């Protein structure tokens, strides 16, 4: 369990330390904020799909060999960060880091399952592994201020290198239980996988940076999406005619799996309230990680509590109940956040963010358990097909949620700005008085009346933009609350239908 925790921290911090500190590290790299976000895109491009191929490689060549090679590659890739001097040297290194991190998350998962007997693997093992996965972004934000104080960008990746070097001997000294080898790789896999990797990778890039260039303004976004669709369609055309496909298209398009995919995708969408909502709101209000430290501690404690509760209660027959509790927590927490003002501070969101973190930790393990149970009924060859669902809904789903949330904020901010600005006219005595009050702050350094008036108007414009931003976030929080509430009602209806079907089955059996 300690080895699993270390591996999750190594992989998770490597991914999230940059994502949590893009405003702070852009100066170190000599880049703009938009350019710095390409580091996240470069990392995610290979990471979102590589697990698919690694699953077959692990089965064919053995878990021990897979483990040893994976950790060595991760250490070597981490050491490449020592040679980063600007954005252009950072981009290829982050791309390689994203590829090298894919097997590390798999190892973290397997080490946690190894710690439990078979009866507990799908309850405690699954819940704790996913709890660690969801906790790493919060931990990254907690420790980032201390690392940046030591040396900006350099100490962020020195932390990653240090964790990788600690993980290296532990993986060698603590081997996992071997799994039976099987010849599962086929030469057609190496035709299909590059197409899937190209499609998923381009989608990851577009979803990460698309809103910064705006979706309809940059021509390359349309080209990238067209190529992604074409690559995925070509992969599907190849796979649908194979006897032993890498991904089973017919199974993935069955109603049962489509329902699971939609469930996981909705979860990722509503959970963006925490990862891209409240934290981004505080950044918009001028607060950064060091000012939100206590909020992160509350979120981390709630995530751990949710993981422990889920581990103690998770059973296949309780999936719907756990989902209902999780969605109700998220809906209530998002609704509470939907009444923020420009004076809202992290301390005002302890309860709401704790509810959302608890609900997030409670939702994913039951969904993954239900998906795995459905997959194993079809046979072990369907594992890679299920991974497509999981990767799409969690990795790409998280990016879709962030992109949709961020775009919605931008649109609503423009809407509220337009409505607020049209009411600001200098013929209004209240507006005139407010401009005079704001200009008074510059009275000691400016004597020209026109300049003072201009500074007062500029300050008022900044305040209007801030108020419009807060209103936009409130709209997004309330929208997410509504989505979670609708999903909650759907789950409740499913629970009712399941109870009715069970009662009818019991009655027929009794009559027979």
């Amino acid at each position: 369990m300690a080895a699993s925790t270390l591996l999750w921290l190594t992989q998770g911090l490597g991914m999230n330390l940059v994502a949590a500190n893009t405003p702070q590290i852009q100066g170190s790299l000599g880049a703009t904020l938009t350019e710095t976000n390409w580091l996240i895109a470069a990392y995610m491009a290979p990471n979102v799909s590589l697990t698919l191929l690694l699953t077959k490689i692990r089965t064919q060549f053995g878990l021990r060999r897979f483990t040893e090679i994976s950790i060595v590659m991760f250490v070597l890739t981490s050491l490449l960060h020592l040679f980063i001097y600007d954005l252009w040297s950072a981009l290829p290194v982050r791309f390689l880091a994203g590829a090298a991190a894919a097997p590390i998350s798999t190892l973290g998962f397997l080490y946690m399952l190894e710690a439990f007997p078979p009866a507990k693997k799908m309850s405690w093992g699954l819940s704790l592994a996913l709890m660690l996965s969801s906790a790493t972004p919060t931990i990254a934000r907690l420790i980032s201020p201390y690392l940046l104080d030591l040396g900006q960008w350099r100490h962020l990746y020195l932390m990653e290198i240090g964790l990788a070097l600690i993980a290296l001997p532990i993986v060698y000294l603590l081997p996992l239980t071997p799994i039976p080898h099987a010849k599962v790789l086929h030469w057609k896999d190496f035709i299909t996988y590059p197409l899937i990797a190209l499609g998923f990778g381009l989608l990851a890039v577009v979803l990460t940076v698309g809103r910064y260039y705006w979706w309809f303004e940059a021509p390359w976004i349309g080209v990238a999406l067209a190529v992604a669709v074409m690559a995925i369609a070509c992969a599907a055309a190849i796979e649908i005619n194979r006897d032993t496909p890498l991904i089973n298209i017919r199974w993935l398009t069955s109603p049962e799996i489509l329902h699971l995919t939609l469930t996981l995708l909705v979860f990722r969408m509503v959970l963006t309230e925490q990862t891209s909502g409240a934290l981004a709101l505080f950044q918009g209000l001028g607060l950064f990680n060091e000012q939100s430290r206590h909020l992160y501690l509350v979120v981390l404690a709630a995530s751990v509590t949710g993981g422990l509760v889920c581990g103690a209660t998770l059973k296949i027959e309780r999936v719907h109940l756990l989902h209902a509790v999780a969605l109700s927590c998220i809906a209530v927490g998002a609704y509470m956040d939907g009444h923020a003002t420009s004076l809202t501070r992290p301390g005002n969101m302890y309860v709401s963010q704790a509810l959302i973190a608890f609900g997030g930790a409670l939702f994913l393990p039951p969904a993954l358990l239900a998906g795995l149970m459905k997959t194993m009924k079809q046979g072990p060859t369907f594992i890679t097909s299920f991974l497509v669902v999981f990767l799409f809904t969690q990795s790409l789903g998280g990016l879709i949620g962030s992109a949709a949330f961020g775009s919605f904020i931008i649109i609503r901010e423009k809407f509220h700005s337009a409505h607020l600005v049209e009411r600001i006219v200098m013929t209004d005595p209240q507006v005139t008085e407010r401009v005079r009050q704001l200009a008074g702050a510059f009275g000691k350094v400016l004597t020209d009346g026109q300049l003072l008036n201009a500074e007062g108007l500029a300050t008022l414009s900044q305040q209007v933009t801030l108020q419009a931003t807060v209103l936009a976030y409130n709209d997004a929080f309330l929208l997410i609350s509504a989505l979670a509430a609708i999903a909650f009602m759907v789950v409740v209806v499913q629970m009712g239908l399941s109870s009715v079907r069970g009662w009818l089955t019991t009655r027929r059996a009794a009559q027979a």
Side-chain angles (χ1 to χ4, degrees):
M1 291 174 68
S4 174
T5 303
L6 175 63
L7 288 166
W8 277 116
L9 285 174
T10 303
Q11 184 269 341
L13 293 181
M15 179 173 67
N16 290 292
L17 282 174
V18 173
N21 297 283
T22 47
Q24 291 90 337
I25 65 176
Q26 62 182 37
S28 302
L29 298 175
T32 65
L33 181 60
T34 298
E35 291 171 340
T36 307
N37 277 283
W38 277 95
L39 295 176
I40 305 173
Y43 186 97
M44 294 302 297
N47 189 264
V48 293
S49 62
L50 194 56
T51 304
L52 186 63
L53 186 63
L54 291 175
T55 302
K56 279 197 166 186
I57 292 175
R58 185 174 71 245
T59 303
Q60 179 147 335
F61 294 101
L63 185 58
R64 181 63 179 164
R65 191 181 303 176
F66 170 83
T67 303
E68 293 174 349
I69 294 175
S70 297
I71 192 65
V72 169
M73 294 301 297
F74 186 81
V75 170
L76 292 176
T77 306
S78 299
L79 290 172
L80 289 177
H81 286 79
L82 293 171
F83 303 98
I84 290 177
Y85 299 101
D86 56 16
L87 179 68
W88 300 109
S89 59
L91 285 173
V93 172
R94 294 307 292 172
F95 181 89
L96 293 174
I104 303 303
S105 58
T106 302
L107 291 180
F109 199 93
L110 293 175
Y111 267 91
M112 184 58 74
L113 295 183
E114 182 86 1
F116 293 93
K120 301 292 185 182
K121 288 185 187 297
M122 289 295 103
S123 55
W124 279 106
L126 194 65
S127 299
L128 294 182
L130 293 175
M131 179 196 75
L132 290 172
S133 175
S134 63
T136 50
T138 307
I139 295 173
R141 293 182 181 277
L142 269 172
I143 67 174
S144 292
Y146 303 106
L147 298 176
L148 291 171
D149 286 344
L150 291 173
Q152 293 296 313
W153 161 260
R154 177 180 176 82
H155 279 74
L156 290 179
Y157 63 74
L158 282 179
M159 178 75 175
E160 182 180 352
I161 294 170
L163 287 172
L165 290 172
I166 295 171
L168 177 64
I170 289 178
V171 166
Y172 274 83
L173 293 172
L174 191 65
L176 291 165
T177 302
I179 59 174
H181 293 212
K183 190 174 182 181
V184 294
L185 285 172
H186 191 276
W187 65 269
K188 288 185 179 179
D189 293 339
F190 297 96
I191 298 176
T192 302
Y193 173 73
L195 292 171
I196 296 173
L198 176 62
F200 278 24
L202 287 173
L203 286 176
V205 169
V206 169
L207 291 170
T208 303
V209 299
R211 70 181 184 272
Y212 298 104
Y213 293 90
W214 201 241
W215 309 104
F216 306 110
E217 298 296 327
W220 67 266
I221 292 177
V223 174
L225 289 175
V227 173
V229 171
M230 183 181 66
I232 294 172
C234 289
I238 294 171
E239 290 297 292
I240 202 169
N241 295 308
R242 288 180 59 184
D243 295 329
T244 56
L246 180 65
I247 52 175
N248 193 308
I249 302 298
R250 291 184 177 86
W251 183 70
L252 289 176
T253 53
S254 64
E256 192 176 33
I257 300 305
L258 287 177
H259 176 265
L260 174 65
T261 303
L262 183 62
T263 301
L264 290 170
L265 194 57
V266 168
F267 162 71
R268 288 301 301 168
M269 294 288 286
V270 298
L271 206 60
T272 55
E273 198 278 351
Q274 189 162 70
T275 55
S276 302
L279 305 183
L281 170 62
F282 290 134
Q283 288 186 351
L285 294 174
L287 303 176
F288 291 97
N289 292 325
E290 50 267 37
Q291 284 86 35
S292 304
R293 187 176 298 119
H294 293 99
L295 176 62
Y296 299 149
L297 288 172
V298 170
V299 170
L300 182 61
S303 296
V304 172
T305 303
L308 295 175
V309 170
C310 191
T313 59
L314 181 56
K315 292 182 180 179
I316 190 64
E317 60 269 18
R318 294 176 181 165
V319 168
H320 287 318
L321 177 61
L322 290 172
H323 281 176
V325 174
L327 288 168
S328 63
C329 289
I330 295 172
V332 172
Y335 180 80
M336 292 171 65
D337 287 345
H339 299 81
T341 69
S342 59
L343 299 178
T344 297
R345 292 297 178 263
N348 302 118
M349 289 191 175
Y350 285 170
V351 176
S352 59
Q353 290 298 297
L355 283 171
I356 294 170
F358 180 82
L362 208 60
F363 190 99
L364 189 54
L368 185 56
L369 174 63
L372 286 172
M373 293 297 101
K374 293 173 183 177
T375 304
M376 296 312 296
K377 289 179 182 178
Q378 302 294 324
T381 58
F382 282 73
I383 287 294
T384 53
S385 299
F386 173 71
L387 282 174
V388 172
V389 174
F390 188 73
L391 291 172
F392 178 79
T393 57
Q394 299 310 298
S395 298
L396 283 176
L399 296 176
I400 291 171
S402 297
F405 191 94
S407 300
F408 183 82
I409 293 295
I410 292 171
I411 293 170
R412 295 301 296 176
E413 189 274 330
K414 301 301 180 186
F415 172 82
H416 287 297
S417 288
H419 277 267
L420 292 174
V421 168
E422 70 182 11
R423 299 183 181 183
I424 298 178
V425 290
M426 294 305 295
T427 55
D428 187 336
Q430 290 183 337
V431 174
T432 305
E433 180 62 25
R434 184 61 175 163
V435 170
R436 187 181 297 112
Q437 290 174 353
L438 295 172
F442 303 93
K444 294 183 179 180
V445 293
L446 294 176
T447 57
D448 188 285
Q450 290 185 343
L451 287 177
L452 275 174
N453 190 60
E455 289 293 342
L457 283 171
T459 306
L460 180 60
S461 176
Q462 293 173 359
Q463 292 185 352
V464 168
T465 300
L466 180 63
Q467 295 295 336
T469 300
V470 173
L471 290 172
Y473 275 100
N474 284 343
D475 291 345
F477 294 152
L478 293 175
L479 176 62
I480 288 176
S481 177
L483 288 174
I486 292 170
F488 169 78
M489 289 186 287
V490 171
V491 171
V492 170
V493 170
Q494 288 178 335
M495 291 172 63
L497 292 175
S498 297
S499 299
V500 170
R501 283 195 295 265
W503 179 78
L504 290 175
T505 302
T506 305
R507 185 176 180 182
R508 290 193 191 102
Q511 290 174 348

